[in-house]
Amino acid sequence: MGTSEHSDATEQRFDVADAAPVLLDAHGMVSGWSGGGGQLLGYAAAEVVGRKLAELLLPADAARIPAIGEQCKRDGGWSGILTARHRDGHPVALMVRIDAAQHSQGSERWIMLLTDLAGAQGWAMSRSVLEQMATRSPLGIAIVDTDLRYVWSNAALAQFGGGPAQERVGRRLADIQPGLDSERLEAMMRQVLETGETVVGYEQVGRVQSAPHRQCCHAMSFTRLHDDSGHPLGVYYTAMDITERYLARQRLALLNRAGEHIGRSLDVMQTAQELADVAVPGLADFVAVDLLDSVLEGAEPTPSDSEVVTLRRAGHQSVREGVPETVIRIGQTARYQAESPPVRVLTSGESWYEEQVDPRAMDWTATGLDRSAASLVELGLHSMMIVPIRSRGITMGITSFFRRDRPDPFDENDLELAEEFVARAAICVDNARRYTRERDAALVLQRSLLPSHLPDQDAVDVTACYRPADELTGLGGDWFDVIPLSGARVALVVGDVPGHGIDGAAAMGRLRTAVQTLADLDLPPEEVLAHLDDLVIRGAREEDAPSAVQAVGSSCLYVVYDPVSGQCAMASSAHPPPALVTPDGTVSFPDIPIGPALGTGGLPFEAAEFCLAEGTELALHTDGLLAVDRREPGREPDLDAGRERLRNVLELRTPSLDGRCVAVVDALVPARPNDDVALLLARTHRLGTGQVASWDLESDPAVVAEARKKVTRQLAEWGLDELAFTTELVVSELVTNAIRYASGPIRLRLIVERALICEVSDAGASAPHLRHPRTTDEGGRGLFLVSQFSQRWGARYTLDGKIIWAEQSLTGEPGSEADEPTDGPTADASTR
């Protein structure tokens, strides 16, 4: 195929000595063939003469012959490249020149000179051709001597400033382009002169005389020139304006940087600051990010109808230290007049920019401060853009861009770039805003689910520490609880729901509520877990809520401590046993039956009972406290090693129970645990013998009066005479009920703690219930009266029967207007 041609063959120098001549007639037939042609193409003269030239060429070039013939007739010749087919079939690229050999009336002859293109360097260019290439080149071209002074340059170089070529001669680069880094460029030229190595594609960024207010970028190449003896003559260099390509690359790099650095957290203020940091100095010299207060609070943006619009400075950055362009600090309010450009952008949601700011334009952020508002020109700001921070059709604030040190003003390309990465940042700001709202709501949910304070009771001193694994939301599935029970007893509970976040917290709330409800029934620990297991199974089967499903597989430890007897009963559902610390500092882990996880079914739950000495500490915890040494994902923690570490920490005595709890968690739990951690620390107490009085009663109505007398005497000893009246009434009703409806021994017990507790136990198994008798009924009012004169009352079941109990406030609030009780069984009006 032909790859080049020239219409004026006479201007080209062609080495005739190396060429093979071929004669052609007026019809393009070969009329003469030389030995050189045979060497090139392998044909003998007899095989070629009389054939058309087109028959010797490849089809693509053969099709060009008519057009080449017309050009020869018009211009007197042709030069170019044709590809012929060798006699053996392979193609041969030929450099061809056609000139008129004979031209008489009625007869035309042409001589065609053929040269093998393989290994040839091409045509030897004439000076006129070389001059055309240099002078007409769109690239700026110049030659400097060994002193780096201009000796020649083409017209294209003048587009960069510095005057025409004749004004450059004898001058150096620093003389004609003071805006460029001439020292670095001349150092590059000296390097080329010394080494002879060509430098290609060197990028020079600066300002040229033709565009003093615009940063330009030029791709430059440097080549050493030398004479026939190899002595350097100077440097030949070219320059091409690649500013648009450079700016496009800079914009792409800025967008990539924005994608990498904006939105690395879900904090609104940090995201706003990241936006400002990315824009300086890549796009602007000073950037300010202002957001609506409602956005910072996580709420939906609310526009203002007042004459002055108040925003909150969420981030700013400057090329100058200390951000001297503004007096507004991060977190402070920025107030804008209603008709100012910032407010117009905020309300319209459309960007605004000004290449050259009006000298009269005030610094709008200074409104309302104790100083006169300075003009933007006084602040040194000459060009600005304001872009709304907008996502999902909601405008959350504005980003203001200013130029101060860079002389080139903002243009439409800059505005498009600013809008692009502000839009990216707006998505992150909106995500952070929505996360803040959801996190605040979730934290409120969790605070409502976990105990805000531990209830007052005398059985144990308690403190707790909770550390979630989800540091972003602060939500977890572990929980703890302290539940006062009847008879001065207390229930201690810890549990663990699989997973974290809001679903785990919701599942935890469901389980904690269920445990509190079951605790009110005064059930033994194993029965509490059995009922809780049923609730989880039923919830997972009947509900689609994630929290109901997530509760499956949860663990729970339920402990009941009685300060009267010192007995402690505990049952576990797939939960590790607590650590026991005796008063002498010995740490042990009781061997208790471990039941199945909640909602999984399987073996029944069992309880274990222990008698604890006063001052014994119970450390109820979730398994996260023992598994914090996990190093490899998916590897099961070594719980035995975890218990040993816990033992070592608990053996270190700390006077304060609160300090002891925090010290344990800090020692065992890293800053970012793999699992939620809850620790409930309780130190037991025993009620003194002077706080408990009990009597065994016969099943005889006559003992009711005697029981009232015993109670009255005991209250007098305790200094509670003001409660004698209501207590006699309660005792009379409960003892009468036990005599009338139960069998076996009856026991009356009084406990004075934070309340006065009256308990009557019997061997019956029937459940008492409150009735609402009619005015004409003779009975049925016994438990009704007990409920009226007590803070609370209820029943709990034991292995031998049941206990009916009632509590009265020591302040005497209930029962202050009670009637005198009646002797004997007739005073009872309750039913079972």
Side-chain angles (χ1 to χ4, degrees), residues 301-358:
T302 54
S304 174
D305 297 331
S306 62
E307 294 184 359
V308 176
V309 177
T310 300
L311 299 177
R312 186 77 58 180
R313 178 60 50 84
H316 58 212
Q317 188 57 271
S318 171
V319 293
R320 299 193 175 192
E321 185 177 356
V323 195
E325 296 86 352
T326 181
V327 296
I328 305 296
R329 300 296 96 187
I330 302 296
Q332 294 181 346
T333 57
R335 306 177 67 199
Y336 298 99
Q337 294 292 340
E339 296 301 321
S340 62
V343 175
R344 291 202 300 270
V345 171
L346 185 67
T347 55
S348 67
E350 298 181 357
S351 301
W352 172 90
Y353 85 101
E354 193 168 276
E355 293 186 7
Q356 191 68 38
V357 300
D358 187 342

Side-chain angles (χ1 to χ4, degrees), residues 110-133:
W110 303 91
I111 183 170
M112 183 170 65
L113 302 177
L114 307 179
T115 303
D116 190 354
L117 194 60
Q121 296 182 356
W123 296 345
M125 297 294 182
S126 67
R127 176 174 178 176
S128 62
V129 173
L130 293 175
E131 287 179 350
Q132 291 180 63
M133 291 173 58

